[in-house]
Amino acid sequence: MSALGRVVRAGVRRKRVQTAVIGLATMMAVTASVLGGSLLVVSSAPFDEAFTAQRGAHVAARFAAPPRAGAVAGVTDSAGPFPFGTAVPDSRGLERAPLALVGRADPGGPVDEVAVLSGRWAAAVDEVVLSADVPFAERLLDQEIRLVDRPGAFTVVGLARSVSRTADAWVLPAALPAPTGYQVLYRLAEPDRVDDAVAAIRGVGEVVGAQSWLVVKEEAVRETAVYVPFLVAFGLLGLVMSVLIVGNVVAGAVSAGTRRIGVLKALGFTPAQVVRAHVAQALVPAAVGTAVGVLAGNLLAVPVLAETTEVYGTGALGVDPVVDLLVVVGVLGVVALTAWAGAARAGRLRTVEALAVGRTPRPRRGRTATRVAARLPVPVPVALGLARPFARPVRALGLVAAVVFGTTAVTFAVGLGTSLGAVQTAREPDATDVVIGVRAPEGDPIPTGATAALRPDTDRAAVTAAIDAQAGTAGYYGIARRRAAVAGMSGSVVALAFSGDTSRSNYQLISGTWFRGAGEAVVPTTFLTATATSIGDTVTLEDGGRSVRLKIVGEVFDTRNDGKQVLVDAASLPGLRPTMYHISVREGTDLPAYLAGLSAALRPLGVEPREGRDGGFSDMLALIAGLTALLTLLLVAVAGLGVLNTVLLDTRERVRDLGVHKAVGMTPGQTTALVVASVAVTGVVGGVLGVPAGVALHSAVLPLMAEGAGTALPASAHAAYHPVGLVLFALGGLVIAVLGALPPAGWAARTRTATALRAE
Amino acid sequence: MTTPVIELRDVSRRYDGGPPALKDASLTVAPGEAVAVLGPSGSGKSTLLNLIAGLDRPDSGTVTVAGTRVDRLGEAAAARYRRDSVGMVFQFFNLLDDLTVADNVALPALLAGRSRAEARRRGAELLGALGVERHADAYPGRLSGGERQRVAVARALVNRPALLLADEPTGALDSAAGEEVGKLLTELNADGQTIVLVTHDLDLARSCTGRTIRIADGRVAEDGR
């Protein structure tokens, strides 16, 4: 082994703590960066990735009859014609809304390669594959379903997803002997010129409908756009902090080794060899940390990417190797550059100066602070510690920065968690204690045949009488649902007509007021956007031949049914009968006993009450909450390591002073107090600066996330912070600093006085 | 018979598997006595001093100082023992550069829990007695070697210790300053202060102590009472 190799090996082995800190800090920085970077890459264009992976259809055209064969201008590839039809399910658990049925022999092909998420593709004429987007589809796997006006039953043999959203269900072509049309899927040379392509497509047959991929994308992106601002925030925090901490750690390691550099030069090492030795000494643990970090980041990204994969049904979204490569090169580059800069400076020092480091008196900074601290009414070790940051201001600034980032991350994460909790609560506006009827999950199905539904012939008066008679009932309201059209808006909306005491509900207004009677409506943000209306405007609801004019009086947070809902008083839509009742019980009521009593009373009516709250988080919110916790933990750990390294350097540098303190009677407890107090000021300053930064980040990111989701948020989501909480977060900065300082403080306390006095 | 201030019985100490720094060393020091410990480099002088000061613990044997079994003390108890019973003077002074002279001297008293005013009053008294009171607000870096060692002696005496340990106190001083320090130690002993002085300087040992102990290869080779 060369002399340089021996020096590097000895340096890595001798400075075990610094080696470990560099390795750990690098590992955490790489883990956070790989995780954040991968998610950023995947989330920035998840639809595009899935669309490319599935060779998505830029245009899904529907023809009245099979089109003529031949080239179409602007089209690079096509698939079909596939027989097309619509069918209305007539089975328990499925929404009675028309399903788009497409006959395809297999899920592959040159365009729109459908991803089979579970089960298999249809192999017989009585088998069907449901789109995972169909409400309750996952419950129906391996079950039989019936379709209105079609004989026999179909077995659901698989769940699949087309990113192009070309069908709700797929069967074999032979299962559609009398199709209502034919679907042909096209990929275009210029995907943005959909209109031109559709015009050209019209040349090969009678087009009765065409779906643009841009429309599909707009809807799909809304589902995940919510991730992007959040990930950008954490990604930036992680990257800046990585650079800061790794740079700080490496620079500190080189600085602490200045005297060793002097010794090496005295032995004949050239400045270039000194620099190479120190860069290598930093790179060895950094490379190990990077390798472990890449592995950890990739492993942690798996479940997150799996969730995204599930959303798009690609099955192929993995950690982008480019992210791994960039992070590895970036972090090792930072380590090498910082080590090079520090070592080059030390390498240029005259040998005698480098040798004198640690032996000559240090610059006289911080003496005023020491004098001031000595007058404070605190024990002398604490006073000595409090003054310490002023003796090494640059090092103290590095420490403050580490604490600022840690506190910012915690403040932001807790705020985000609180906001997501509020959003989750607001997402379930009908989560009352007891529900009668079918609870409305995502997609707001209109209950038709499910067991607990209120059938059309159920006696509502008898139901409400039973509820009124049940001891413990605090209040209730009923909801009638009706699909209706809104003049000037394509597609249908769900009209929710409320009767009873709606003050028991959890609908959260964003602006305006709740409806006060007939003729008034409250609508979600998406509705206002889609209809280009605002509070005070009037819309016309067309319901089965009757038109109802409604004045919009409030904007409500309601993401169900993609926000295409209108909430009105039952008096606005007379004749509708509630399909569900939501009951609140009095405080202290034994809920199981209440349910048993009500169940007994309602059984003769064929109705079964259920507990109304499940307390579950939506997958997306749970994922964000989990990621927030994980990324915050990583950032706080890196911040703590940064503090630990800085305090360790400082303590090692001052070990002789500590020996003197101990020689004149400082106890181990007092030594610990001194070292811990030395980070108190920086911890508090970092905490005080980090809290407003975290609040500002929350204030900036939350509206962007909401915008990504296509909705405004209720006040409860914005009110994420309590003044007491903010004070606690600021103290959190102190906690990060103290936790980082405790190991070196313990080391200082344990060091034998005689050893410390001998140290140079 | 007077109870000795220091009593070492069969004390041995070995570092990291090397040859013994001290082997079966025994000695006693009576109250008010001034003892010089002489010997070549590596003979075990500083190890002996460290064991008496409670800075280190023996592998075997007992160390009793002012009735306290120092070899049995934990780190915290040893620290309390040092600040209450022992004052230490080092070859390179070991003053803290970022504290003023007055603060350096007051530090052991403050660590012992004395009030700020009391510690400063006692420090000022000692600085006056040792002739360096005009440097009270200066930092150690501005003082001469002899002055720094006087400050170090003041710091060592601030808690009125039963025992003053001096490890080569003139080793970093020129001859004039060394003589000054020697005179100071003599005066302190004359006032009843028990002193153990580790030195290479035979003249210093003779001038300010009444007894010399010679250490060689970790053993007490000669005890010249």
Side-chain angles (χ1 to χ4, degrees):
Chain A
M1 183 183 282
S2 68
L4 194 65
R6 284 177 192 280
V7 165
V8 170
R9 195 174 67 174
V12 169
R13 285 184 175 174
R14 186 167 157 263
K15 301 278 183 185
R16 282 192 295 265
V17 177
Q18 278 176 14
T19 298
V21 170
I22 290 176
L24 279 172
T26 313
M27 185 202 81
M28 291 194 175
V30 169
T31 304
S33 299
V34 166
L35 185 59
S38 301
L39 295 173
L40 265 179
V41 167
V42 171
S43 295
S44 63
F47 178 85
D48 292 339
E49 293 222 3
F51 197 81
T52 304
Q54 291 189 6
R55 295 186 296 280
H58 293 123
V59 175
R62 199 142 49 88
F63 293 88
R68 291 182 296 280
V72 179
V75 170
T76 57
D77 234 330
S78 67
F82 303 119
F84 179 93
T86 56
V88 178
D90 186 21
S91 287
R92 283 169 50 173
L94 261 188
E95 183 178 358
R96 188 186 279 268
L99 294 178
L101 269 179
V102 169
R104 280 176 70 162
D106 63 81
V111 184
D112 187 33
E113 184 180 343
V114 177
V116 179
L117 302 178
S118 52
R120 59 173 173 79
W121 198 251
V125 291
D126 60 350
E127 293 179 345
V128 65
V129 175
L130 283 180
S131 165
D133 293 326
V134 170
F136 308 128
E138 68 280 6
R139 297 183 201 165
L140 296 167
L141 189 61
D142 299 327
Q143 307 287 314
E144 283 194 347
I145 60 169
R146 290 180 178 280
L147 301 175
V148 173
D149 299 332
R150 283 176 199 272
F154 286 85
T155 303
V156 179
V157 294
L159 296 178
R161 184 171 274 130
S162 156
V163 72
S164 312
R165 298 191 180 174
T166 52
D168 296 321
W170 294 270
V171 292
L172 289 181
L176 284 172
T180 56
Y182 291 87
Q183 184 186 66
V184 183
L185 309 172
Y186 296 98
R187 279 185 69 80
L188 308 181
E190 295 178 77
D192 291 339
R193 302 184 62 179
V194 171
D195 290 345
D196 294 346
V198 170
I201 289 166
R202 289 185 192 282
V204 296
E206 185 191 343
V207 176
V208 293
Q211 176 179 272
S212 163
W213 74 290
L214 294 171
V215 175
V216 175
K217 181 179 179 179
E218 191 182 316
E219 275 193 26
V221 165
R222 183 182 298 162
E223 290 173 6
T224 51
V226 68
Y227 285 105
V228 177
F230 148 77
L231 288 171
V232 166
F234 264 110
L236 284 179
L237 270 177
L239 286 174
V240 174
M241 200 150 157
S242 303
V243 170
L244 182 85
I245 300 297
V246 171
N248 205 9
V249 167
V250 175
V254 173
S255 161
T258 303
R259 191 164 172 272
R260 186 166 177 267
I261 289 172
V263 173
L264 293 177
K265 290 179 73 175
L267 292 173
F269 275 72
T270 65
Q273 283 176 313
V274 165
V275 171
R276 282 207 299 276
H278 276 77
V279 169
Q281 265 172 237
L283 278 178
V284 169
V288 174
T290 300
V292 178
V294 166
L295 190 67
N298 278 261
L299 286 176
L300 287 170
V302 167
V304 177
L305 293 177
E307 184 70 25
T308 311
T309 298
E310 209 281 322
V311 169
Y312 291 100
T314 57
L317 290 177
V319 174
D320 192 336
V322 175
V323 171
D324 285 343
L325 190 68
L326 282 177
V327 171
V328 168
V329 170
V331 171
L332 290 183
V334 167
V335 172
L337 196 68
T338 320
W340 175 82
R345 195 168 61 87
R348 282 196 303 273
L349 274 180
R350 287 166 53 196
T351 306
V352 68
E353 289 172 342
L355 282 170
V357 168
R359 286 179 165 177
T360 50
R362 294 184 300 273
R364 296 164 183 172
R365 282 192 291 256
R367 285 178 172 172
T368 308
T370 307
R371 285 188 167 194
V372 171
R375 290 182 174 81
L376 295 174
V378 292
V380 68
V382 175
L384 290 170
L386 290 176
R388 182 63 197 159
F390 300 94
R392 298 297 298 259
V394 175
R395 187 172 286 173
L397 277 178
L399 204 147
V400 167
V403 176
V404 164
F405 277 99
T407 314
T408 301
V410 170
T411 307
F412 173 56
V414 172
L416 198 60
T418 308
S419 295
L420 292 181
V423 167
Q424 177 64 20
T425 305
R427 284 178 77 251
E428 294 187 348
D430 293 319
T432 48
D433 298 318
V434 176
V435 172
I436 297 173
V438 172
R439 238 160 120 257
E442 291 299 314
D444 185 38
I446 295 179
T448 50
T451 319
L454 291 181
R455 295 172 183 281
D457 57 349
T458 304
D459 183 349
R460 266 61 172 177
V463 171
T464 54
I467 297 170
D468 282 327
Q470 184 65 36
T473 300
Y476 63 92
Y477 60 92
I479 302 178
R481 287 175 165 77
R482 186 83 164 186
R483 281 209 180 271
V486 173
M489 181 183 170
S490 62
S492 64
V493 298
V494 174
L496 303 177
F498 291 80
S499 54
D501 181 7
T502 54
S503 69
R504 303 281 173 185
S505 73
N506 190 35
Y507 286 90
Q508 297 195 20
L509 284 171
I510 294 165
S511 56
T513 60
W514 192 246
F515 52 75
R516 285 169 294 250
E520 291 187 344
V522 170
V523 296
T525 311
T526 318
F527 182 95
L528 291 174
T529 309
T531 55
T533 52
S534 53
I535 292 173
D537 290 347
T538 299
V539 292
T540 303
L541 205 63
E542 291 166 353
D543 167 33
R546 67 176 166 174
S547 292
V548 180
R549 284 175 61 80
L550 298 165
K551 184 182 178 188
I552 299 172
V553 295
E555 178 184 0
V556 71
F557 180 81
D558 191 350
T559 57
R560 298 170 304 170
N561 198 36
D562 286 336
K564 291 171 185 167
Q565 308 216 109
V566 179
L567 285 61
V568 297
D569 189 283
S572 295
L573 296 172
L576 291 184
R577 291 190 297 176
T579 52
M580 298 176 74
Y581 286 97
H582 297 269
I583 306 166
S584 300
V585 299
R586 287 203 188 93
E587 208 172 317
T589 302
D590 179 359
L591 196 57
Y594 181 91
L595 273 169
L598 190 59
S599 177
L602 292 174
R603 197 163 297 132
L605 302 170
V607 177
E608 187 68 30
R610 290 188 295 106
E611 196 173 330
R613 301 178 200 273
D614 60 14
F617 243 43
S618 84
D619 287 349
M620 186 189 71
L621 292 183
L623 186 68
I624 292 179
L627 273 178
T628 304
L630 181 68
L631 291 172
T632 305
L633 206 64
L634 283 178
L635 289 176
V636 169
V638 173
L641 275 181
V643 173
L644 182 146
N645 179 68
T646 306
V647 179
L648 190 68
L649 280 177
D650 204 53
T651 310
R652 287 263 158 102
E653 198 176 276
R654 301 177 58 218
V655 65
R656 197 181 172 84
D657 279 2
L658 288 171
V660 174
H661 282 118
K662 294 174 90 167
V664 299
M666 186 175 274
T667 63
Q670 288 174 318
T671 309
T672 304
L674 186 153
V675 176
V676 170
S678 73
V679 299
V681 172
T682 43
V684 169
V685 170
V688 166
L689 293 176
V691 167
V695 172
L697 193 61
H698 176 268
S699 303
V701 168
L702 193 66
L704 290 175
M705 290 174 74
E707 193 179 305
T711 179
L713 292 176
S716 62
H718 290 288
Y721 298 105
H722 188 276
V724 176
L726 292 178
V727 173
L728 290 178
F729 296 149
L731 290 176
L734 183 61
V735 171
I736 291 172
V738 168
L739 286 179
L742 276 177
W747 175 81
R750 284 192 307 274
T751 301
R752 300 291 282 271
T753 311
T755 312
L757 285 170
R758 277 199 301 272
E760 288 185 353
Chain B
M1 185 183 169
T2 318
T3 307
V5 174
I6 302 171
E7 184 173 10
L8 271 71
R9 281 185 189 276
D10 303 323
V11 171
S12 296
R13 179 74 171 107
R14 184 192 295 264
Y15 296 107
D16 299 330
L22 268 186
K23 187 164 175 56
D24 299 329
S26 296
L27 64 89
T28 57
V29 176
E33 204 175 358
V35 178
V37 179
L38 297 166
S41 288
S43 60
K45 304 185 302 289
S46 291
T47 300
L48 180 74
L49 205 69
N50 286 344
L51 292 173
I52 295 171
L55 297 175
D56 200 357
R57 260 174 279 181
D59 298 326
S60 61
T62 62
V63 180
T64 308
V65 178
T68 302
R69 277 289 295 274
V70 179
D71 56 286
R72 287 180 176 171
L73 297 177
E75 277 296 307
R80 284 191 287 273
Y81 153 75
R82 278 195 295 278
R83 72 189 178 202
D84 294 338
S85 306
V86 180
M88 291 198 73
V89 179
F90 302 92
Q91 179 179 0
F92 293 105
F93 327 121
N94 278 342
L95 296 173
L96 296 163
D97 295 329
D98 48 0
L99 296 183
T100 62
V101 163
D103 288 337
N104 263 287
V105 174
L107 183 62
L110 292 169
L111 287 173
R114 296 195 169 71
S115 73
R116 213 172 294 269
E118 188 187 346
R120 302 242 353 151
R121 191 168 52 245
R122 170 72 178 150
E125 185 185 307
L126 283 165
L127 288 173
L130 296 171
V132 283
E133 71 274 22
R134 66 186 182 284
H135 298 303
D137 293 326
Y139 287 92
R142 290 183 167 275
L143 273 58
S144 69
E147 288 167 334
R148 281 191 228 182
Q149 200 58 294
R150 283 175 177 270
V151 173
V153 171
R155 183 180 65 183
L157 297 176
V158 73
N159 284 337
R160 296 188 173 85
L163 181 61
L164 180 65
L165 302 175
D167 189 0
E168 302 281 9
T170 60
L173 302 176
D174 58 33
S175 54
E179 273 179 29
E180 267 183 51
V181 170
K183 201 173 155 194
L184 173 62
L185 292 175
T186 305
E187 288 168 7
L188 288 170
N189 183 241
D191 289 343
Q193 178 69 54
T194 308
I195 297 174
V196 175
L197 167 68
V198 166
T199 183
H200 280 101
D201 187 342
L202 195 56
D203 289 340
L204 176 70
R206 283 179 181 152
S207 67
C208 60
T209 65
R211 176 183 166 197
T212 56
I213 294 173
R214 196 172 295 277
I215 306 275
D217 298 329
R219 294 173 184 273
V220 177
E222 183 187 325
D223 191 342
R225 286 179 187 272

